[in-house]
Amino acid sequence: STSQISSTIISLIVSFFVLLVLTRRFAPSFIVIVPVTLAAVWVVGSMAAIGLKWNVLTVMVTALTLGIGIDYSIHMWRRFEVELKRRNNHWDALRASLSTTGVALLMSALTTSMGFMVLLFSPMPIIQDFGLITAITVIFSLLLSLVLLPVLMELSARSKEEEVVEKEFEPQLDDLA
């Protein structure tokens, strides 16, 4: 479990730096990685809560969480950025992102999780555990991409908006002083 934790942390750090290099911006890179990190923590916590033990298959679950979660988060974040340029209003952009990419991710996640839930019918308990925890991984990744990520994107858009307003009124405030 020690190597699992360290490899997950290393993967998160590497993923963050890859996002940083690709976007050349700190905030989006951080915003995308937060739901993924939380999903990994929730999955490991869920394993403990339902009594699943680490085995050859379940040890891969954090890697799957990172892969699935970062994919969902990037899709949502990128759609928000595109819609924000089109609409110039972050609320409308968020609604459009959720109604297009959000719906597509929902359908994708449901089919993927159901596909893994089929493994619950396996006669081998190790396969059953893998199917259950992987389905949970997909659902957590989806929920955090559709709930937490939009909140973080909205907070980021709002802070950018406030910075623009402050810069516009800064010269006028200096004249008053």
Side-chain angles (χ1 to χ4, degrees), residues 80-91:
F80 178 73
E81 293 246 319
V82 167
E83 293 297 336
L84 192 57
K85 286 179 184 170
R86 281 187 191 156
R87 300 168 194 281
N88 209 18
N89 175 321
H90 52 95
W91 286 110

Side-chain angles (χ1 to χ4, degrees), residues 5-64:
I5 292 169
S6 63
S7 66
T8 301
I9 290 170
I10 290 168
S11 295
L12 284 167
I13 291 169
V14 168
S15 297
F16 171 76
F17 281 112
V18 167
L19 286 168
L20 192 60
V21 166
L22 293 175
T23 64
R24 292 186 288 280
R25 297 182 299 174
F26 180 83
S29 302
F30 182 75
I31 287 170
V32 166
I33 212 76
V34 167
V36 177
T37 304
L38 192 55
V41 170
W42 282 10
V43 166
V44 172
S46 294
M47 285 180 65
I50 59 179
L52 290 181
K53 304 286 184 227
W54 292 104
N55 60 45
V56 175
L57 291 178
T58 57
V59 79
M60 293 186 292
V61 78
T62 54
L64 283 169

Side-chain angles (χ1 to χ4, degrees), residues 122-139:
S122 171
M124 300 174 63
I126 193 170
I127 302 291
Q128 292 172 358
D129 292 350
F130 178 71
L132 176 62
I133 200 62
T134 304
I136 290 171
T137 293
V138 171
I139 297 303

Side-chain angles (χ1 to χ4, degrees), residues 16 19 26-39 42 69 72-74 76-78 80-81 84 90-91 94 97-98 140-161:
F16 171 76
L19 286 168
F26 180 83
S29 302
F30 182 75
I31 287 170
V32 166
I33 212 76
V34 167
V36 177
T37 304
L38 192 55
W42 282 10
Y72 289 176
S73 291
I74 287 172
M76 274 305 296
W77 163 74
R78 195 64 198 120
F80 178 73
E81 293 246 319
L84 192 57
H90 52 95
W91 286 110
L94 190 56
S97 300
L98 287 169
F140 283 166
S141 295
L142 174 73
L143 285 174
L144 290 165
S145 293
L146 296 182
V147 177
L148 178 62
L149 184 65
V151 170
L152 296 174
M153 291 185 311
E154 169 56 27
L155 291 173
S156 177
R158 188 180 295 176
S159 90
K160 283 181 189 174
E161 204 173 74

